[in-house]
Amino acid sequence: MSSSSARVARITAGFAAPPAVVLGIIAWVAGGLLAALIVFLVAAAALTWWALMAGDRRVAGVLSALGGRDADPVLDARISNLAEGLSINAGLRQPRLVVVEAAGLNVLAAGTSASKAVVAVTSGLLAELERIELEAVLAEALCQIRRGDTVAPTVSAATFGFGRRVAVAGDRDALADQAAVTLTRYPPALASALEKLEAKGWEVPGQPAYMASLWLADPRPGAPTDVGRLPLGERIEALREL
């Protein structure tokens, strides 16, 4: 089992088991051991299925509530063209692209599979980054999707953040940074983009805590570095050494 699959299993098991046990106990009192076993298995399976299936819809719903819109191939030609080229180079189906109106510089990658993936960028990011910097952060998002790093955080979003502490591997950011610069072959571009995030801010108001780990940097105003995440300063320093 991959580390991503293991984290998903821990999240879904932890989410589904307690209510399934409670329902099983009630069924045991009412109908005996066999009824308890059946109720437990059905409830656990149903809750696990829901957790696995609902994450993509919840992410889409939050982005929609923020006023997110699908990137226009003409109005947003720069990001559309970059995403198309990078997706081909990464061996991925191009994800859905969403633009969120927010002054903070940030990008989100989510999806329980590559076929359901979404990449959202803020209008502030589009306004402030040079083309080569935008390419670098898009590469980061696509590499997270390709590596399966988005699956566990997306499942955690379905459960309103249950299992959030295990959804992100401790080395995710570092490995995603390395994968992104391997794809673009220019580490200074990603370092420069992260420096602009640090200088200009990365907040996206209205983001719930259970969405935080899906963003390049925790989008909540004033929030500390999210669980399992590296501070931007450390990531920039590592990139400058490549």
Side-chain angles (χ1 to χ4, degrees):
M1 180 182 290
S2 69
S3 60
S4 176
S5 297
R7 290 194 297 275
V8 170
R10 290 177 65 184
I11 293 169
T12 54
F15 172 72
V21 167
V22 171
L23 291 173
I25 291 173
I26 294 173
W28 188 1
V29 172
L33 183 59
L34 179 60
L37 181 61
I38 293 173
V39 168
F40 172 80
L41 292 176
V42 170
L47 289 168
T48 298
W49 179 88
W50 185 86
L52 292 172
M53 295 295 106
D56 298 297
R57 294 193 299 272
R58 188 170 304 284
V59 169
V62 172
L63 293 176
S64 178
L66 289 174
R69 60 172 179 81
D70 287 324
D72 186 279
V74 177
L75 296 177
D76 306 299
R78 186 171 62 144
I79 184 177
S80 297
N81 293 338
L82 286 172
E84 180 180 9
L86 286 168
S87 297
I88 293 172
N89 291 338
L92 285 174
R93 173 183 175 181
Q94 183 174 326
R96 177 191 175 202
L97 298 175
V98 174
V99 178
V100 175
E101 292 296 327
L105 282 60
N106 219 329
V107 57
L108 168 146
T112 53
S113 68
S115 62
K116 297 179 180 179
V118 58
V119 171
V121 298
T122 62
S123 55
L125 189 85
L126 295 179
E128 295 290 345
L129 295 194
E130 301 293 336
R131 181 182 178 87
I132 195 169
E133 295 167 337
L134 181 59
E135 180 185 46
V137 296
L138 286 176
E140 172 104 7
L142 292 173
C143 286
Q144 288 190 12
I145 293 168
R146 184 177 64 183
R147 286 169 41 82
D149 291 338
T150 63
V151 179
T154 303
V155 171
S156 180
T159 65
F160 297 97
F162 183 90
R164 182 174 155 217
R165 290 185 175 274
V166 301
V168 178
D171 59 355
R172 186 192 76 171
D173 289 333
L175 293 177
D177 288 347
Q178 293 171 15
V181 300
T182 298
L183 186 60
T184 63
R185 301 179 182 176
Y186 192 58
L190 183 56
S192 177
L194 296 183
E195 285 177 340
K196 286 188 175 180
L197 262 72
E198 247 194 345
K200 299 178 181 294
W202 56 82
E203 292 82 5
V204 184
Q207 284 295 289
Y210 60 78
M211 292 280 287
S213 57
L214 294 168
W215 290 87
L216 184 62
D218 192 327
R220 297 170 297 163
T225 301
D226 195 30
V227 177
R229 307 299 302 277
L230 286 176
L232 286 181
E234 291 186 20
R235 298 170 66 178
I236 293 167
E237 183 177 350
L239 288 165
R240 290 298 186 197
E241 295 176 356
L242 293 178

